[in-house]
């Protein structure tokens, strides 16, 4: 979200579309037309706006030839781990400088240009968890509709 | 292909007629200057043109364009819209990383690549030029593997023995994978010396660009660049590339 | 650190007094020529010297040395023993990949790095010089993360605006991680122009190497290289590096 | 194995040492002095000589301050998968040209310089399994000796 015009037009829309496409492909592989439930993991590093993502995803799904029962979002906290000294730490993007938070919002790997290990100063750290949007689970529905 | 982002990337590029990655395994042969000038000259011919900088750990097209990364703005609209710079749609990771160092392992490069291409709305373009890093690693393989059908690779080389081996290795990979090669550009060379090499590899020879001693003083200033023999030569090359001649 | 290979790598390098990786995020600034000549001049001073080529996807020190990869021999003894080339212990992945293209994603680079360093017995060396690829990615991070304490990084730059930004970014990473920097070498430059930059970054300025127009004709021939002003300047630099002056 | 002088001096020795060091570190972490069993996976891409590796490993362990009951080796066949077209294939290193087999024996990633996808010609393939030496399992012994 940055220079937002209409809420639903922000970049979460692009991510929602990729999820919708993924669902569509999974369904067509299995010859089905609806899923009962999808669980989407939101790594908080990316500061995704859940309401906007949800709105966009539902709008896109409406326009498609399949149905989705329940959409569940699970937040995942961020853990970073230094490969050099082994130190593990957490960051909370909501406390970051707005410009940095925005950069990481679009491309989470920008974290490598703003963070280093608090113990040894290395930038060679792993995003152990909490990077961004991913699909955790899709539970297919029955096909009779 | 279990990454959802890979599904939308082709859609984001659906309005782009031709994609030209500028490649050479060797660094310092002129990929960055040439890709930037290819975009600028193509645009000067009235073509809708884009420029993407894929050299994530050492981006530098913004320096040639004279763009200050601290002043770039992110425009969101169902994704992000590349900024217009000197008439071209321009995207570099520096819009997010500014001028900070950004060391990335391969896995991070892959994620940055997919994220960036999944959210960028290029719209309608005649040509998208892509500056790539040296070597043959994740950035190149992501391009070839997931966008291979849309690419026409421009190979850049200088007539140095260190560069020629690199060209042969790169051409081998492209040819055996049946990728389209737009041709070979010979840089920093007053006379064409690599025509024979191109012929042996059966790729088009696109022309030679002379060595211009004071080019570094003109980097970042389009008006000055426009008056150099490099611009002139790249304009000839872009005409050949776009089939105007 | 759950990779068993990482445990033996320090042992393989235990007899090596100093390790000098030659780095610059920018390609084409002269890393390969300079690292090779640093090794050759160091050896000419009577020091036991090694040279390792870490530019896996575009190896080229063998071209400077005039080594034919098809004729390199693998010597096994509780691992592998680098071959003696012009008096230096030399190892390049080309001993295995010959002149074939070897595109590698980051994960493959990491595996090749660890495998190679886990099996190579360097023995006693005064100095090991390491040629690195451009960019800042897996090869560099493996070096810095797992061998950081033994390294003294030699940064190479040219006075071009495209190279200077790269130096600043690289120096920032090294300084904030408290890595040792041996100094800055200015290449393709007839006058020292980067002393101020080195001073600002608080790194030693090791000297400038002039632009030598016909150097490409001498690549691969040590006797010819020895007679160039580049050799002379690198010899001065190696003396400074080794504390002989 | 290449220009072998004494059998046990070949490069398998270097790999055996890394395994021995790994065991030692695991034991010292746990404050133990012996392991009951170690399972070592040998991806056949690397054509490791099992007898030599075993001999070297036992020699090195003898010289150390810990004991190992049983050493089990498990071969793992090679599966390569093309990222471009999805094609999966197997290779049998024992049928390869000797020089290529040797190169891959030392650095399995040399596979990228000698192989391409048989279907589409891409070199962007994954070594799904069978790369080389890895430790699959360590079962600790008791500490009373
Ligand atoms: N035709 C040319 N004449 C003179 N210098 C050139 C020419 N082309 C490139 N250069 C210089 O060579 C260096 C490397 O160019 P660059 O475009 O950054 O190469 P690459 O992207 O392949 O690493 C830069 O300093 C650039 O100014
Ligand atoms: N001092 C110099 N004078 C003239 N040409 C040079 C000089 N140093 C390097 N070169 C040339 O520049 C090119 C790049 O050098 P190289 O060592 O391969 O750089 P890198 O390893 O940083 O990519 C080569 O063609 C080389 O011959
Ligand atoms: Mg935002
Ligand atoms: Mg470049
Ligand atoms: Mg080099
Ligand atoms: Mg062998
Ligand atoms: Ni957004
Ligand atoms: Ni062996
Ligand atoms: Zn750390
Ligand atoms: Zn394939």
């Amino acid at each position: 979200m940055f220079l937002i015009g209409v809420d639903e037009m922000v970049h979460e829309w692009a991510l929602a579309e990729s999820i919708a496409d993924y669902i569509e492909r999974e369904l067509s592989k299995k010859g089905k037309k609806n899923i009962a439930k999808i669980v989407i993991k939101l790594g908080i590093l990316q500061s995704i706006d859940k309401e906007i993502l949800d709105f966009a995803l539902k709008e896109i799904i409406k326009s498609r030839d399949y149905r989705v029962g329940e959409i569940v979002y699970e937040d995942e906290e961020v853990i970073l781990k230094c490969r050099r000294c082994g130190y593990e730490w957490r960051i909370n993007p909501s406390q970051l400088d707005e410009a940095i938070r925005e950069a990481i919002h679009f491309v989470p790997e920008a974290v490598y240009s703003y963070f280093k290990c608090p113990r040894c100063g290395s930038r060679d750290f792993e995003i152990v968890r909490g990077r961004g949007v991913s699909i955790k689970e899709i539970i297919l529905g029955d096909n009779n509709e | 292909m279990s990454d959802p982002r890979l599904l939308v990337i082709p859609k984001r590029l659906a309005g782009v007629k031709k994609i030209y990655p500028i490649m050479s395994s060797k660094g310092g042969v002129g990929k960055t200057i040439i890709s930037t000038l290819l975009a600028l000259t193509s645009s000067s011919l009235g073509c809708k043109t884009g420029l993407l900088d894929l050299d994530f750990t050492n981006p530098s097209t913004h320096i040639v364009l004279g763009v200050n990364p601290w002043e770039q703005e992110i425009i969101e609209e169902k994704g992000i819209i590349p900024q217009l710079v000197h008439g071209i749609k321009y995207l570099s990771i520096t819009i997010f990383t500014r001028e900070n160092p950004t060391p990335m392992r391969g896995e991070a490069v892959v994620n940055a690549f997919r994220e960036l291409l999944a959210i960028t709305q290029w719209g309608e373009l005649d040509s998208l030029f892509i500056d790539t890093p040296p070597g043959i690693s994740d950035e190149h393989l992501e391009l070839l593997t997931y966008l291979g059908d849309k690419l026409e690779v421009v190979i850049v080389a200088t007539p140095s023995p260190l560069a020629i081996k690199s060209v042969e290795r790169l051409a081998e990979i492209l040819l055996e994978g049946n990728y389209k090669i737009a041709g070979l550009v010979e840089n920093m060379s007053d006379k064409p010396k690599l025509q024979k090499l191109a012929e042996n590899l059966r790729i088009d020879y696109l022309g030679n660009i002379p060595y211009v001693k004071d080019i570094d003083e003109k980097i970042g200033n389009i008006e000055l660049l426009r008056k150099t023999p490099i611009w002139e030569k790249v304009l000839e090359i872009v005409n050949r590339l776009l089939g105007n001649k």
Side-chain angles (χ1 to χ4, degrees), chain A, chain B:
Chain A
M1 295 155 284
F2 207 78
L3 303 181
I4 307 174
V6 185
D7 261 353
E8 67 270 32
M9 300 302 254
V10 295
H11 113 280
E12 274 79 352
W13 187 89
L15 302 175
E17 194 187 3
S18 77
I19 297 170
D21 284 5
Y22 187 84
I23 295 171
E24 184 160 331
R25 209 202 35 175
E26 290 305 297
L27 285 173
S28 88
K29 268 191 204 167
K30 305 252 157 61
K32 299 239 170 186
K33 285 283 178 201
N34 79 80
I35 63 173
K37 182 177 168 184
I38 176 167
V39 183
I40 296 170
K41 217 162 55 182
L42 298 180
I44 65 166
L45 181 60
Q46 201 169 9
S47 313
I48 290 295
D49 189 314
K50 209 180 299 180
E51 280 64 49
I52 297 180
L53 181 69
D54 189 55
F55 177 82
L57 187 52
K58 284 175 177 157
E59 283 297 303
I60 295 168
I61 290 171
K62 242 185 250 170
S63 71
R64 303 268 171 111
D65 187 28
Y66 60 84
R67 286 178 201 189
V68 173
E70 194 186 355
I71 306 178
V72 177
Y73 299 91
E74 283 180 8
D75 281 343
E76 186 178 64
E77 66 173 344
V78 187
I79 298 182
L80 306 178
K81 182 173 183 179
C82 178
R83 288 199 182 85
R84 186 184 183 199
C85 77
Y87 186 73
E88 255 186 41
W89 76 104
R90 284 146 210 267
I91 55 177
N92 185 345
S94 69
Q95 289 162 6
L96 294 179
D97 171 284
E98 179 61 15
I100 295 175
R101 205 176 73 87
E102 286 294 331
I104 295 173
H105 170 61
F106 289 103
V107 177
E109 284 59 45
V111 72
Y112 293 107
S113 63
Y114 297 104
F115 285 87
K116 55 186 180 192
C117 171
R119 188 156 83 185
C120 77
S122 165
R123 298 211 186 203
D124 188 14
F125 55 82
E126 195 187 338
I127 307 174
V128 180
R129 41 197 276 125
R131 179 195 174 275
V133 182
S134 61
I135 295 165
K136 191 179 164 189
E137 202 184 354
I138 292 182
I139 298 167
L140 292 176
D142 48 28
N143 218 1
N144 39 357
E145 52 197 299
Chain B
M1 190 159 72
S2 58
D3 188 330
R5 295 170 296 183
L6 291 174
L7 297 170
V8 292
I9 292 175
K11 292 190 188 176
R12 304 287 177 257
L13 292 161
V16 179
K17 294 208 189 87
K18 301 259 190 180
I19 303 181
Y20 298 102
I22 319 304
M23 290 193 184
S24 84
S25 322
K26 180 103 196 63
V29 298
K31 285 180 294 301
T32 295
I33 291 197
I34 292 171
S35 52
T36 311
L37 292 192
L38 281 170
L40 290 169
T41 52
S42 153
S43 169
S44 78
L45 293 171
C47 299
K48 283 185 234 153
T49 307
L51 175 63
L52 170 64
D53 192 330
L54 269 195
D55 193 351
F56 293 152
T57 74
N58 191 47
S60 43
T61 49
H62 65 284
I63 302 175
V64 181
L65 288 171
V67 167
N68 181 345
W70 300 97
E71 289 168 4
Q72 285 180 276
E73 279 196 348
I74 302 164
I75 310 163
E76 252 184 301
E77 201 188 308
K78 293 194 169 187
I80 59 172
I81 308 278
Q83 225 185 338
L84 265 188
V85 175
H86 303 297
I88 61 181
K89 284 192 179 169
Y90 176 60
L91 188 70
S92 161
I93 200 166
T94 57
I95 197 169
F96 306 117
T97 60
R98 309 297 175 175
E99 300 205 273
N100 296 296
T102 310
M104 286 191 197
R105 285 181 177 264
E107 194 198 339
V109 167
V110 166
N111 268 317
F113 177 94
R114 294 181 184 178
E115 199 77 31
L116 209 53
L117 287 169
I119 66 174
T120 305
Q121 303 281 8
W122 289 98
E124 301 289 320
L125 287 182
D126 295 308
S127 307
L128 173 62
F129 295 92
I130 304 184
D131 188 22
T132 70
I136 311 180
S137 197
D138 294 275
E139 301 83 345
H140 316 84
L141 295 174
E142 285 286 303
L143 268 182
L144 293 173
T145 295
Y146 300 114
L147 294 171
D149 296 342
K150 295 205 77 162
L151 306 180
E152 298 191 18
V153 179
V154 176
I155 301 179
V156 179
T158 64
S160 130
L162 292 172
I164 290 167
K165 271 279 156 256
S166 306
V167 173
E168 288 173 353
R169 287 191 291 237
L170 174 59
E172 192 177 336
I173 289 172
L174 297 174
L175 293 171
E176 69 189 12
N178 248 311
Y179 294 100
K180 236 176 170 169
I181 301 178
L184 174 73
V185 173
E186 176 174 353
N187 191 26
M188 308 197 214
S189 175
D190 298 327
K191 288 186 298 249
K193 294 178 196 151
L194 298 180
Q195 279 172 316
K196 195 86 205 153
L197 177 71
E199 206 175 292
N200 289 342
L201 296 169
R202 286 188 223 170
I203 57 187
D204 282 354
Y205 181 81
L206 294 170
N208 65 299
I209 300 173
Y211 184 85
V212 174
K213 213 176 157 21
D214 60 348
I215 195 70
D216 282 341
E217 290 151 32
K218 294 170 181 169
I219 280 172
N221 185 322
I222 304 301
E223 285 322 306
L224 294 181
L225 284 171
R226 205 188 295 274
K227 287 171 200 140
T228 65
I230 298 185
W231 180 286
E232 230 166 278
K233 263 298 192 172
V234 174
L235 186 61
E236 271 178 42
I237 288 168
V238 94
N239 266 313
R240 203 161 304 149
L241 210 59
L242 305 179
N244 296 342
K245 163 224 103 139

